[in-house]
Amino acid sequence: MPQFGKRLSPRQISLSAAAILAVCIWLLAVALGRNWQIALLILTVSFILAYFIFYYFLKKFIDQRLKLIYKFIYDTKAGRKEQFFYNKILPKKTMDEVEREVALWAQKKNLQVERLQVNEKFRKEFLSNLTHELRTPIFTVQGYVHTLLDGAIDDENVNRKFLSNASKGLDRLVHLASDLAQITELESGTNPLVLTNFDLHHLVNDVYEELMLKAREKQISMKFKNDDKEAIMVHADRDKIRQAIVNIVENAIKYGNEGGSITTGFWDLDTDKTYIEISDDGPGIEEQHLERIFERFYRTDKSRSSKIGGTGLGLAIVKHIIEAHHQIINVRSKVDVGSSFGFSLNKQPN
Ligand SMILES: Nc1ncnc2c1ncn2[C@@H]1O[C@H](COP(=O)(O)OP(=O)(O)OP(=O)(O)O)[C@@H](O)[C@H]1O
Ligand SMILES: [Mg+2]
């Protein structure tokens, strides 16, 4: 018994249909009293004719339908290429091939939809985080300015304090705006890396000096793992790497314990890579936060509820900078022991 089902080829369908029709005509011929030779001739001729007619129209019908499907899945524009495809390639494709290609296409579309959904979720989260971050300082500034205008400006006991609070709110807004500008710039790639050779050891020392005042407020000491002043020559974007180091050291100061210390070490990863690690002996980061620490706006519960926490963009910027260099970034941390942030960089080529 031939299997009648979806796997039948157009040729088999035409054969079967022609056979059925030919047998019917033959039976009719016999019933009408034709002799067996004529009936046999009618059977043969009608079978052959029916087969070719069925096959021709069936193919034409299928090809038209397939063209429509291919038009959708390949978004082909009318033109010579399309004509060539329909005339030369499509007729050679088996139904199985077409089925496989359509399944692949569907899979690709599914992935695209999933990616769009993720992006959409990301966009929504970003907007809601941004709104939240903007709201607090704007309302702070608005509140103090209005209170001052309503008369507090003449009250010597509070006017300076209120102005200073309003100014802190503005500083926070400026900080947020500059962080956002950096992230956008890094994500859009509008500001390509400017690669030069420089001494990483020297750069960290510069950052230490820049942040000395902040560190001193908490009696935090900043040092190197090795005492020697050996130059660590790397090939990278100096300004951007400086920004990354500033963000990491600022965090180490901001979240570090009073009287603590920050230590930077350098290691040879392999012949052409250097690894830098900046460690503190601060409160550490709980394991559940570690994998999310580089996300935009992500802060741990502790810094969320305390006043010292920033906007949660600092480490996202660091990650962007290091990834733009096609390098790896890593964090190790243990609660009550400290945190270490490290990344690799290409050495200065010989
Ligand atoms: N050295 C560290 N020790 C302990 N916690 C840290 C340390 N560095 C980062 N964190 C935690 O990771 C979070 C994210 O850091 P990130 O620098 O991205 O944001 P932020 O410091 O809150 O804000 P911003 O840097 O934008 O001012 C911080 O809120 C803090 O909870
Ligand atoms: Mg930070």
Side-chain angles (χ1 to χ4, degrees), residues 175 179 246-248 250-252 254-255 299 308-316 318:
H175 180 84
D179 275 2
V246 166
N247 287 7
I248 295 173
E250 256 183 350
N251 280 349
K254 199 155 67 169
Y255 304 110
R299 285 172 296 176
I308 51 166
T311 46
L313 289 173
L315 288 177
V318 175

Side-chain angles (χ1 to χ4, degrees), residues 5-63:
K6 57 178 180 169
R7 297 280 166 202
L8 239 45
S9 72
R11 203 178 288 276
Q12 284 169 316
I13 293 175
S14 310
L15 273 175
S16 315
I20 293 168
L21 188 73
V23 168
C24 291
I25 293 174
W26 175 70
L27 283 175
L28 196 68
V30 172
L32 289 175
R34 306 279 164 211
N35 69 31
W36 71 269
Q37 285 107 329
I38 295 193
L40 197 66
L41 189 70
I42 290 173
L43 175 81
T44 317
V45 172
S46 56
F47 174 73
I48 292 170
L49 269 178
Y51 168 72
F52 282 110
I53 292 168
F54 283 152
Y55 186 66
Y56 174 77
F57 284 108
L58 197 57
K59 270 298 267 177
K60 209 171 162 69
F61 173 78
I62 290 173
D63 277 358

Side-chain angles (χ1 to χ4, degrees), residues 172 175-176 179 246-256 278-286 289-290 292-304 306 308-318 331-333 338-341:
R172 210 179 150 91
H175 180 84
L176 177 64
D179 275 2
V246 166
N247 287 7
I248 295 173
V249 176
E250 256 183 350
N251 280 349
I253 298 173
K254 199 155 67 169
Y255 304 110
I278 301 167
S279 309
D280 64 57
D281 51 6
I285 303 161
E286 286 167 51
H289 298 299
L290 271 187
R292 303 198 56 192
I293 211 88
F294 294 104
E295 287 176 21
R296 295 189 288 199
F297 296 112
Y298 192 83
R299 285 172 296 176
T300 63
D301 304 336
K302 258 193 230 159
S303 57
R304 239 169 225 288
S306 79
I308 51 166
T311 46
L313 289 173
L315 288 177
I317 292 174
V318 175
V331 51
R332 300 183 296 132
S333 189
S339 317
S340 299
F341 289 85

Side-chain angles (χ1 to χ4, degrees), residues 20-294:
I20 293 168
L21 188 73
V23 168
C24 291
I25 293 174
W26 175 70
L27 283 175
L28 196 68
V30 172
L32 289 175
R34 306 279 164 211
N35 69 31
W36 71 269
Q37 285 107 329
I38 295 193
L40 197 66
L41 189 70
I42 290 173
L43 175 81
T44 317
V45 172
S46 56
F47 174 73
I48 292 170
L49 269 178
Y51 168 72
F52 282 110
I53 292 168
F54 283 152
Y55 186 66
Y56 174 77
F57 284 108
L58 197 57
K59 270 298 267 177
K60 209 171 162 69
F61 173 78
I62 290 173
D63 277 358
Q64 269 172 0
R65 287 289 187 276
L66 281 186
K67 271 184 198 172
L68 211 63
I69 293 174
Y70 271 90
K71 236 186 170 56
F72 281 129
I73 70 173
Y74 286 136
D75 290 334
T76 47
K77 305 260 178 303
R80 264 208 231 128
K81 246 189 190 168
E82 192 186 19
Q83 283 310 321
F84 179 80
F85 178 79
Y86 290 148
N87 295 338
K88 306 275 188 228
I89 301 176
L90 189 54
K92 292 204 182 90
K93 285 190 187 286
T94 64
M95 288 305 270
D96 279 351
E97 264 179 305
V98 174
E99 208 175 286
R100 234 177 292 134
E101 280 176 31
V102 171
L104 265 176
W105 170 81
Q107 209 180 353
K108 215 169 84 189
K109 283 282 158 196
N110 266 343
L111 279 176
Q112 274 174 2
V113 170
E114 272 169 29
R115 206 173 308 137
L116 284 177
Q117 280 168 344
V118 170
N119 282 350
E120 178 64 11
K121 190 170 155 259
F122 210 64
R123 197 185 61 81
K124 276 189 185 149
E125 264 178 31
F126 181 74
L127 265 183
S128 98
N129 282 328
L130 187 58
T131 317
H132 178 80
E133 294 301 331
L134 280 170
R135 209 180 254 160
T136 323
I138 286 176
F139 286 165
T140 307
V141 175
Q142 190 191 35
Y144 284 116
V145 171
H146 281 178
T147 318
L148 283 164
L149 283 176
D150 289 346
I153 190 135
D154 299 319
D155 183 348
E156 290 288 330
N157 295 323
V158 292
N159 55 7
R160 288 194 162 273
K161 177 91 189 118
F162 285 2
L163 258 181
S164 142
N165 286 352
S167 146
K168 273 188 199 138
L170 283 176
D171 286 349
R172 210 179 150 91
L173 277 174
V174 171
H175 180 84
L176 177 64
S178 102
D179 275 2
L180 277 174
Q182 273 192 58
I183 289 238
T184 320
E185 209 177 86
L186 285 162
E187 277 183 354
S188 64
T190 47
N191 192 353
L193 298 183
V194 182
L195 299 176
T196 54
N197 298 321
F198 61 90
D199 177 4
L200 193 58
H201 193 285
H202 192 259
L203 184 69
V204 176
N205 212 34
D206 271 3
V207 173
Y208 277 177
E209 274 168 22
E210 186 185 321
L211 299 174
M212 189 73 83
L213 273 183
K214 278 188 189 165
R216 214 178 272 164
E217 282 170 17
K218 291 178 82 174
Q219 283 102 45
I220 289 177
S221 63
M222 298 186 287
K223 50 187 199 266
F224 290 96
K225 207 172 178 73
N226 296 329
D227 285 333
D228 53 31
K229 297 266 184 294
E230 189 198 348
I232 310 285
M233 295 306 293
V234 292
H235 185 68
D237 185 319
R238 192 175 193 276
D239 285 347
K240 292 204 170 74
I241 295 301
R242 182 192 176 92
Q243 182 64 61
I245 296 170
V246 166
N247 287 7
I248 295 173
V249 176
E250 256 183 350
N251 280 349
I253 298 173
K254 199 155 67 169
Y255 304 110
N257 299 325
E258 294 261 346
S261 66
I262 297 167
T263 314
T264 301
F266 305 99
W267 286 267
D268 270 354
L269 259 196
D270 52 43
T271 47
D272 55 358
K273 275 192 188 6
T274 289
Y275 190 74
I276 167 176
E277 194 172 58
I278 301 167
S279 309
D280 64 57
D281 51 6
I285 303 161
E286 286 167 51
E287 207 172 328
Q288 84 253 29
H289 298 299
L290 271 187
E291 61 185 39
R292 303 198 56 192
I293 211 88
F294 294 104

